[in-house]
Amino acid sequence: MDIAVIGSNMVDLITYTNQMPKAGETLEAPDFAIGCGGKGANQAVAAAKMGGSVMMVSKVGDDLFAPNTVANLKQQGVDTQFVTTAPGTSSGVAPIFVDDQSQNRILIIKGANQQLKPADIDEAAEGLKACQLIILQLEIPLETVYYAIDFARQHDIKVILNPAPAVANLDIDYACKCDFFMPNETELEILTGMPVGTDDEVIRAGQTLLKRGLKNLIITLGARGSLWMAGDTLHQVAPTSVKAVDTSGAGDAFIGCFAHTLVKTGDIPTAMAQASAYAACSVTGRGTQRSYPDAETFQRFLNLN
């Protein structure tokens, strides 16, 4: 395998609404969909759809959602040997509300994802050792994230840490052990306690993390593109202009494509440019994984943009 994703899977319960209800109010919504999601699974699927050789270490629940989650990962080209069941536990679910401006609001119930433990990394050790890159997020226990980072350092495997959803008590010393730290602007604000409303504010907030010892900080900024900061390096990638339909999972699309392109080319600016365009392509369709293009569809998108 080229890439290992150690992280979450979720069942997305997506409601499309023209208006968010007020407290105590009931409104009719025009559409609903069920999809496969979770930050870890999304990133794995994006990398696999781009042609990457991807394995996943994850937990599913002991319920009706689990078989479909595993079957979906296999169908998308992700190796599921180390996706195991947590007995007596529900699968993770994510109610997602998408408004008429294509902005999303998400709740997550971690379920079985909370049961992904360091022992699961030990079980997958031989497969992980053969990978070039490990991707991590924060929808699994922090102890497992930290254990995975130490495992990667021990075996000289590059690590991307996506601090999502952001937690204020994240150990930045562990983040500094990673090769890439990849928050969005909201996560950057939570982690630093600093405003991020403008590019200058984003840079100042990023600099406070770099001073702590981060190697490469890549900040995704939605419609404002993305920014790479490392030492004296400051490299910004402009967004690809599209008509957004649903922004759910766009950050995960970025990370999955970035990881695949980085393994393939070794070039960070190239990986960022590809990832930015891939994320833009993803928001032109509904849902998370189902909106991610395969390599051929993505190439057609690039030719038109």
Side-chain angles (χ1 to χ4, degrees), residues 43-127:
Q43 292 164 16
V45 166
K49 279 192 164 186
M50 281 294 291
S53 179
V54 183
M55 63 174 280
M56 189 164 187
V57 181
S58 191
K59 285 283 187 187
V60 293
D62 184 11
D63 58 19
L64 293 174
F65 289 132
N68 184 63
T69 295
V70 176
N72 174 72
L73 288 169
K74 289 180 179 179
Q75 183 179 0
Q76 305 293 357
V78 177
D79 186 297
T80 61
Q81 179 181 355
F82 300 107
V83 178
T84 55
T85 301
T89 306
S90 70
S91 293
V93 296
I96 300 172
F97 303 89
V98 183
D99 67 21
D100 56 0
Q101 300 300 311
S102 300
Q103 295 301 307
N104 61 76
R105 296 168 176 84
I106 304 174
L107 298 170
I108 62 169
I109 298 90
K110 292 183 178 179
N113 295 298
Q114 287 283 66
Q115 303 303 314
L116 190 66
K117 301 295 185 180
D120 295 296
I121 295 172
D122 291 337
E123 287 291 323
E126 293 308 309

Side-chain angles (χ1 to χ4, degrees), residues 245-273:
V245 173
D246 183 353
T247 60
S248 304
D252 298 329
F254 182 101
I255 290 170
C257 181
F258 175 89
H260 167 70
T261 309
L262 182 70
V263 167
K264 185 177 178 181
T265 69
D267 186 75
I268 296 173
T270 297
M272 289 180 66

Side-chain angles (χ1 to χ4, degrees), residues 166-185:
V167 290
N169 64 336
L170 178 68
D171 188 337
I172 296 299
D173 289 337
Y174 264 98
C176 292
K177 296 181 182 182
C178 300
D179 299 274
F180 297 90
F181 190 66
M182 299 180 66
N184 63 22
E185 72 268 41

Side-chain angles (χ1 to χ4, degrees), residues 14-19 27-33 98 100 286:
I14 310 165
T15 298
Y16 296 92
T17 180
N18 297 324
Q19 181 181 345
L27 295 175
E28 181 179 351
D31 206 359
F32 173 79
V98 183
D100 56 0
R286 283 186 167 186

